[in-house]
Amino acid sequence: MYLFTSEVVSPGHPDKCADIIADSIVDAHIIADPNARVASEVFVAGKNVIIGGEVTSKANLTDKDYVKIVKDALAKIGYDGKSTFDRTQTLHPDDVKVQVLLNQQSPDINQGVDQEGGETGAGDQGIMFGFASNETADFMPSAITYARVLCEKVYHFALKHNHKLGVDIKTQVTMDYGTKENFENCEPQKIHTIVISAPSVENMDITEVRALLKGMIDDAGLPTNLYDPNNTIIHLNPTGRYVNHGPLHDSGLTGRKLIVDSFGGYAPIGGGAQSSKDYTKVDRSGLYAARWIAKHIVAAGLAKKATVQISYAIGVAKPTSVSVDSYGTVIEGLNDDILSTFVIENFALTPNWITRKFSLDKPSAETFLYADVASRGQVGQSDYPWEKLDSLEMFKALKK
């Protein structure tokens, strides 16, 4: 055996609640003012939601507006007060108290970001990593892909059947690659272990809960060549009782689920979170660009997997470095030096370039919303603009 595990949490997890609220604030500001600068951290604890950070925006949201954003976000997540869980078991929106502690962005930062001539400097220094693998159709590692599939299955069931399950859900999948060589060559052999924890109402027997969750696993569409229901180790609500859940019973904070949001621990991650930040913050935009490049490298058949690192200096538009690591899986005739040089020479990777490429200043219900990205993961969802394989021929030309 050679095992690798990734976990995923649902939008109802307290940390994800914080991320979704924070990005609902980002959406509200950028939709009203595409040049808004936002960095609004959110802390959720019990019945309290605290919003702190800095905002410079023409939207001029009031404290009352922020309260509505918080309660609307929680209701959409599933904390809408309509479930069978009582006020001692989970969060009810009418009980929520919101404290707003926001300041304007420092002019010292702003002078480096919004530059004369229209260029945009990086909103901070930092490192970002994008990754792709040929293990799945979405060019993501298999463990986090299947953990997401299961999490989405159980979460959407919980939304429709709130008289049975709550929305604070965790899933975990362990892949067996058989050997380290198979792991290095992106060749998983089977799903070894599945773990699901989902809150159930007080009157549901644990046997019924486990049968319900097992049925959802079998119906989730996991690849039949990897998932054998008779030979997969499965842990369902392992403690035996899971009723009390959500922010009422556990605190949540923006940026605490970076592994869940990215590549499930399979690849390096950058130094900062994406949620809560506008598109000039390269923690967000740099990840999207690096993922777009890595995905193109793998989708073009240049390597089985690839990590792209980008780094920035605050107030400077061009990256301070760009590098590609294909883990020795690059095709004959190419190497990582060639790939790195190709990326540097063909893609500006400035905040302005990334913003225009993916329309990051134009979130909408028709394109993408940052709050939706916060709930589903920052990468790996095919409908995101930074997941589009729109320059594949350019990369494939490297084969010639």
Side-chain angles (χ1 to χ4, degrees):
M1 293 188 299
Y2 190 87
L3 307 179
F4 187 87
T5 303
S6 295
E7 72 154 348
V8 170
V9 300
S10 72
H13 186 282
D15 290 331
K16 278 288 107 193
C17 289
D19 286 339
I20 293 166
I21 292 169
D23 276 345
S24 297
I25 292 169
V26 172
D27 283 326
H29 279 286
I30 295 180
I31 289 171
D33 176 10
N35 295 313
R37 301 291 178 255
V38 188
S40 54
E41 310 298 334
V42 173
F43 176 49
V44 182
K47 301 176 182 179
N48 301 286
V49 176
I50 300 172
I51 303 168
E54 51 192 36
V55 172
T56 300
S57 171
K58 295 177 182 177
N60 294 320
L61 299 183
T62 66
D63 284 6
K64 186 176 180 180
D65 294 325
Y66 285 111
V67 170
K68 185 177 188 306
I69 289 171
V70 169
K71 293 193 174 184
D72 286 351
L74 289 172
K76 186 176 180 180
I77 289 167
Y79 296 113
D80 55 7
K82 298 177 182 178
S83 74
T84 307
F85 296 91
D86 65 35
R87 277 179 155 82
T88 69
Q89 295 169 339
T90 196
L91 187 65
H92 283 238
D94 292 343
D95 298 337
V96 173
K97 299 176 182 177
V98 180
Q99 188 176 6
V100 181
L101 304 171
L102 291 171
N103 301 305
Q104 283 206 333
Q105 185 183 67
S106 166
D108 296 340
I109 296 175
N110 191 62
Q111 69 179 351
V113 174
D114 298 315
Q115 300 175 0
E116 293 183 7
E119 188 55 84
T120 301
D124 201 352
Q125 71 175 50
I127 58 171
M128 299 85 223
F129 292 92
F131 177 80
S133 163
N134 67 3
E135 288 188 7
T136 66
D138 284 330
F139 299 97
M140 290 284 285
S142 55
I144 191 168
T145 295
Y146 303 135
R148 282 182 175 176
V149 167
L150 294 173
C151 194
E152 289 172 9
K153 181 79 172 180
V154 180
Y155 174 64
H156 288 295
F157 179 90
L159 286 176
K160 294 178 181 178
H161 302 86
N162 57 14
H163 61 292
K164 291 186 176 182
L165 299 183
V167 294
D168 183 1
I169 298 155
K170 282 188 173 185
T171 59
Q172 185 171 286
V173 170
T174 300
M175 301 301 300
D176 184 2
Y177 288 81
T179 66
K180 179 66 180 298
E181 183 180 3
N182 287 339
F183 175 78
E184 292 172 344
N185 286 295
C186 307
E187 297 173 359
Q189 302 298 299
K190 66 177 182 178
I191 295 175
H192 181 274
T193 302
I194 292 172
V195 182
I196 299 179
S197 294
S200 61
V201 294
E202 188 86 51
N203 61 2
M204 278 188 75
D205 183 78
I206 186 60
T207 304
E208 181 185 358
V209 175
R210 287 172 174 162
L212 176 64
L213 295 176
K214 178 61 166 58
M216 282 190 260
I217 294 172
D218 293 341
D219 191 46
L222 297 174
T224 55
N225 64 315
L226 295 175
Y227 172 59
D228 181 351
N230 298 314
N231 286 307
T232 300
I233 300 169
I234 298 176
H235 300 289
L236 304 173
N237 283 19
T239 64
R241 171 187 165 85
Y242 181 20
V243 176
N244 301 314
H245 67 281
L248 191 64
H249 295 276
D250 188 12
S251 63
L253 188 66
T254 41
R256 279 206 301 212
K257 288 294 176 280
L258 300 187
I259 300 294
V260 169
D261 273 341
S262 56
F263 307 104
Y266 196 107
I269 60 171
Q274 291 74 52
S275 289
S276 84
K277 299 170 183 176
D278 70 77
Y279 54 84
T280 67
K281 276 66 171 181
V282 284
D283 284 324
R284 183 189 284 280
S285 54
L287 167 66
Y288 300 163
R291 162 63 179 172
W292 181 83
I293 293 167
K295 186 174 181 180
H296 273 78
I297 289 171
V298 176
L302 306 181
K304 293 180 179 179
K305 56 184 174 181
T307 290
V308 176
Q309 189 206 50
I310 309 175
S311 67
Y312 293 89
I314 188 167
V316 179
K318 290 285 289 184
T320 54
S321 69
V322 179
S323 65
V324 177
D325 182 358
S326 63
Y327 301 88
T329 67
V330 69
I331 63 172
E332 187 176 354
L334 292 180
N335 57 46
D336 293 343
D337 295 340
I338 294 172
L339 291 175
S340 300
T341 300
F342 170 79
V343 172
I344 292 168
E345 291 180 348
N346 287 277
F347 307 106
L349 298 176
T350 63
N352 275 2
W353 184 90
I354 301 171
T355 299
R356 288 193 300 266
K357 177 68 181 173
F358 307 126
S359 298
L360 299 184
D361 57 344
K362 298 179 178 66
S364 70
E366 293 71 38
T367 56
F368 73 95
L369 291 170
Y370 287 112
D372 178 58
V373 173
S375 70
R376 298 168 64 205
Q378 297 289 330
V379 293
Q381 304 289 358
S382 60
D383 55 317
Y384 295 168
W386 47 94
E387 294 289 330
K388 304 298 183 187
L389 293 170
D390 52 7
S391 297
L392 212 48
E393 293 307 315
M394 188 176 181
F395 283 81
K396 285 182 177 179
L398 283 172
K399 292 181 177 180
K400 299 176 182 178

